Amino acid sequence: MRENTKPMRSDSVTKGAERAPMRSLFYAMGYTKEELERPLIGVVNAHSEIVPGHSHLDKITEAVKAGIRMAGGTPIEFPSIGVCDGIAMGHEGMKYSLPSRELIADSVESMAMGHMLDGLVLVPNCDKIVPGQLIGAIRVNLPTVVCSGGPMLAGLVEGEETSLSKMFEAVGARKAGLIDDEGLRAFEENVCPGCGSCAGMYTANSMNCLCEAIGIALPGNGTIPAVMSGRIRLAKEAGMKVMEMVEKDIRILDIINEKSIRNALACDMALGCSTNTVLHLLAIAEEAGCPVDLHVFNEYSAKVPNLCHLAPAGPDHMLDLNRDGGLPAVFNELAKKDLVDLSLMTVTGKTVGENIEGKTCVAHKVIRPIEDPYSETGGLMVLWGNIAKDGCVVKRSAVAPEMMQHTGPARVFDSEDDAIKAIYAGEIKDGDVVVIRYEGPKGGPGMREMLNPTSALAGMKQDKTVALITDGRFSGASRGASIGHVSPEAASGGEIGLIEEGDTIEIDIPAGKVNVLISDEEMEKRRAAYVEHEPKVKTGWLSRYLRNVTSANRGAVLK
């Protein structure tokens, strides 16, 4: 009980005669004297009825709260917003997705500080919600555990396991006449069979795995499916573990540091995670006071082999990764070549090495042995060139071999909407390089994901003949030669804004280069004639966001 432990932060709202008004408000909600004498643990619940990955988080949260109570704490639940990127895709709603990360971070910070909580359990599941909650928790530096809702099971269409990436590609196939309306309906009714974060190595599952790799989540956080009882048990354990952290005063910044971020980078490359992890790891590292830059990503890409090809890079899904041993098995493979630091503290109270001891790969059906990887280089790659002087990012593991080097004419669009119209109309030809600009953090605003155009190209069987370059970003479900995060972005005067229709673009992914083949003199001539575009949004939250957001190579954090 509380009397037998050291003073808590929550004493500021629960102890002493002067805190009687605060206690009266707790009593108004049904809390008892005994509950107020225990550590107060905030449980940040992203449950909603608009995100499949969040629709079951009420049950996960109740399990977390049970664990907290079993270990002698008092859980206090409060909500978190969350945008479903799949539902927001391809229209104005996607402008709000990345900015929502900042709102989530601010709200977690506000609630934890405003009520002087003693610890936190974060219950997110999808793209911006995981890093948003984590960034807010870093700011208050309390004992913290992340407990995600877990991945969705794969769907089944015509006897083949499938997931959301194939659903978007089916739209392209329908536009190209490769399937009919009945075939499209078979996908839409079956690719997402239930709750959980969509079943491939998309951004949500990527971030949930990276939380586990950093050590801020329990083993299994990234891979145990949402519908399995193991997820409920994991949630109860998370509630109990946060109480151990409170007792030992182990805080989030005791776990998140430069070395644990590097463990996450190694995991990122081995798994072939979403390009969005670059944005989020940059932002998390910046908030934690151990900033990294894009060169560090390439350092790890050069030395960490790619061991997994989960959807969209291959046919496997998160359940398959879980069955093959999950993140502990991946870490054991990486440890064979000393690519991860096994000495680091985690929320289990044990080191990374202790957590993974004896947990080797089950059958190597999903996780390749490190001696026989898919490639000797990692799943992500940063490119530089005269149209990306501050870098851009590609998911190398999801690029066909024949597109690793590509030269072709630029097809230039100043918005995703114009590009998708041209793709659906069949105006993009084999060999083209589609350039979509003014979709960056400032220009979008909000740096929209480009799953619609990339999936349309894949569905039309052009993912092995057409490249796409943008200052926007991609869903983790995108595949093909999709190069995003071009920095500086067009709206900030970046050279991507100076490309003209028909210019020759040269892409060399193994060499880390992307260039428009014009002279420096021609580039400067175009710059002199450049006319700055008007902001696309002038009112509301997004107008404040675009005035304060930094570029993608800095994680699109706010100034």
Side-chain angles (χ1 to χ4, degrees):
M1 296 292 288
R2 184 75 166 274
E3 290 82 1
N4 298 323
T5 62
K6 60 183 178 300
M8 293 284 113
R9 272 170 40 107
S10 58
D11 290 349
S12 300
V13 294
T14 61
K15 280 200 162 187
E18 67 277 14
R19 304 305 179 194
M22 291 78 166
R23 291 195 297 273
S24 73
L25 294 169
F26 278 102
Y27 290 145
M29 294 179 280
Y31 289 94
T32 65
K33 177 178 180 293
E34 290 76 14
E35 286 177 300
L36 298 185
E37 289 171 349
R38 298 173 178 176
L40 305 184
I41 308 299
V43 183
V44 190
N45 182 6
H47 171 257
S48 73
E49 296 181 347
I50 194 64
V51 186
H54 295 179
S55 62
H56 66 303
L57 292 187
D58 53 342
K59 298 177 179 64
I60 302 297
T61 296
E62 286 303 317
V64 168
K65 289 159 68 175
I68 292 169
R69 291 189 185 102
M70 285 190 286
T74 297
I76 298 178
E77 178 184 340
F78 59 88
S80 167
I81 66 165
V83 173
C84 178
D85 282 7
I87 295 174
M89 195 71 65
H91 55 82
E92 290 295 296
M94 180 48 75
K95 294 179 185 290
Y96 287 85
S97 177
L98 183 59
S100 73
R101 185 184 72 183
E102 310 311 314
L103 297 178
I104 293 164
D106 290 349
S107 66
V108 171
E109 176 190 1
S110 299
M111 293 297 286
M113 289 301 297
H115 304 99
M116 299 306 283
L117 300 175
D118 298 312
L120 293 171
V121 179
L122 311 178
V123 188
N125 210 29
C126 292
D127 190 343
K128 261 58 69 200
I129 298 85
V130 178
Q133 289 190 7
L134 201 55
I135 289 166
I138 288 169
R139 293 175 188 169
V140 297
N141 193 25
L142 297 175
T144 302
V145 179
V146 174
C147 180
S148 80
M152 186 185 291
L153 297 178
L156 198 66
V157 178
E158 295 182 353
E160 182 179 341
E161 284 196 348
T162 189
S163 55
L164 189 66
S165 57
K166 292 294 185 183
M167 177 69 256
F168 277 88
E169 290 175 19
V171 176
R174 178 66 190 91
K175 293 288 185 179
L178 301 177
I179 61 174
D180 58 16
D181 286 341
E182 186 176 343
L184 185 65
R185 190 176 304 111
F187 276 92
E188 66 184 82
E189 292 178 353
N190 293 290
V191 295
C192 296
C195 65
S197 46
C198 297
M201 189 53 76
Y202 311 142
T203 307
N205 292 323
S206 295
M207 290 308 303
N208 286 331
C209 286
L210 295 189
C211 285
E212 189 176 333
I214 289 171
I216 199 63
L218 296 171
N221 179 74
T223 59
I224 298 173
V227 296
M228 288 189 171
S229 63
R231 179 59 58 175
I232 297 296
R233 296 196 300 272
L234 187 82
K236 291 177 181 177
E237 188 178 355
M240 291 185 279
K241 287 298 179 185
V242 78
M243 293 304 299
E244 288 183 19
M245 295 175 72
V246 169
E247 183 62 31
K248 297 175 182 176
D249 197 28
I250 300 172
R251 299 172 182 244
I252 192 170
L253 288 177
D254 295 321
I255 294 172
I256 299 181
N257 51 50
E258 182 180 359
K259 291 181 179 180
S260 64
I261 292 290
R262 285 176 176 266
N263 272 3
L265 288 173
C267 180
D268 203 342
M269 299 304 165
L271 290 176
C273 290
S274 163
T275 52
N276 283 316
T277 60
V278 177
L279 284 174
H280 299 325
L281 285 176
L282 287 170
I284 289 165
E286 177 77 20
E287 198 67 58
C290 52
V292 297
D293 63 27
L294 291 179
H295 291 90
V296 180
F297 282 82
N298 268 8
E299 173 192 333
Y300 274 79
S301 183
K303 69 182 182 181
V304 179
N306 179 222
L307 304 181
C308 301
H309 267 189
L310 291 109
D316 299 313
H317 295 91
M318 296 304 294
L319 174 60
D320 304 306
L321 177 59
N322 190 63
R323 285 173 171 167
D324 214 17
L327 266 291
V330 172
F331 261 56
N332 266 310
E333 291 299 323
L334 296 176
K336 292 178 182 178
K337 293 192 175 182
D338 296 321
L339 293 172
V340 287
D341 189 333
L342 302 182
S343 69
L344 303 182
M345 173 63 69
T346 72
V347 294
T348 65
K350 300 177 181 178
T351 65
V352 174
E354 290 170 328
N355 286 344
I356 68 172
E357 188 174 356
K359 296 179 180 178
T360 55
C361 188
V362 175
H364 286 301
K365 290 183 178 179
V366 178
I367 306 165
R368 286 275 188 94
I370 201 162
E371 300 84 4
D372 181 31
Y374 281 102
S375 68
E376 293 292 343
T377 51
L380 299 180
M381 182 77 179
V382 179
L383 316 180
W384 279 273
N386 65 357
I387 57 173
K389 291 183 176 179
D390 292 336
C392 56
V393 183
V394 63
K395 187 171 183 174
R396 175 165 49 184
S397 61
V399 180
E402 54 266 46
M403 290 300 290
M404 287 291 183
Q405 294 172 309
H406 180 78
T407 301
R411 302 297 311 280
V412 182
F413 303 93
D414 285 350
S415 73
E416 177 193 6
D417 311 271
D418 292 341
I420 196 67
K421 287 176 186 175
I423 293 169
Y424 284 159
E427 296 172 7
I428 304 302
K429 307 303 180 186
D430 290 348
D432 285 350
V433 179
V434 176
V435 177
I436 305 177
R437 60 198 184 186
Y438 297 100
E439 290 287 5
K442 177 180 178 181
M447 202 178 183
R448 287 196 286 181
E449 288 185 345
M450 304 289 172
L451 183 55
N452 272 4
T454 60
S455 296
L457 291 170
M460 294 174 170
K461 308 301 182 184
Q462 289 185 298
D463 57 300
K464 296 180 181 179
T465 59
V466 173
L468 194 154
I469 299 175
T470 180
D471 54 9
R473 61 195 178 93
F474 297 109
S475 164
S478 292
R479 63 185 174 99
S482 303
I483 299 167
H485 306 201
V486 170
S487 301
E489 62 174 296
S492 295
E495 285 75 11
I496 189 174
L498 305 180
I499 299 172
E500 295 182 357
E501 183 81 8
D503 282 348
T504 299
I505 304 288
E506 183 179 60
I507 299 166
D508 189 338
I509 293 173
K513 296 179 180 179
V514 57
N515 290 286
V516 57
L517 300 185
I518 61 173
S519 67
D520 292 344
E521 291 77 15
E522 175 63 19
M523 187 75 83
E524 289 309 309
K525 179 181 175 182
R526 293 182 186 183
R527 183 175 297 284
Y530 175 76
V531 177
E532 187 173 343
H533 283 221
E534 283 285 312
K536 292 180 182 176
V537 174
K538 297 182 180 180
T539 60
W541 148 236
L542 289 184
S543 69
R544 299 199 305 274
Y545 179 83
L546 72 86
R547 291 194 299 271
N548 294 286
V549 69
T550 59
S551 63
N553 68 302
R554 293 181 57 191
V557 298
L558 296 185
K559 299 174 187 174

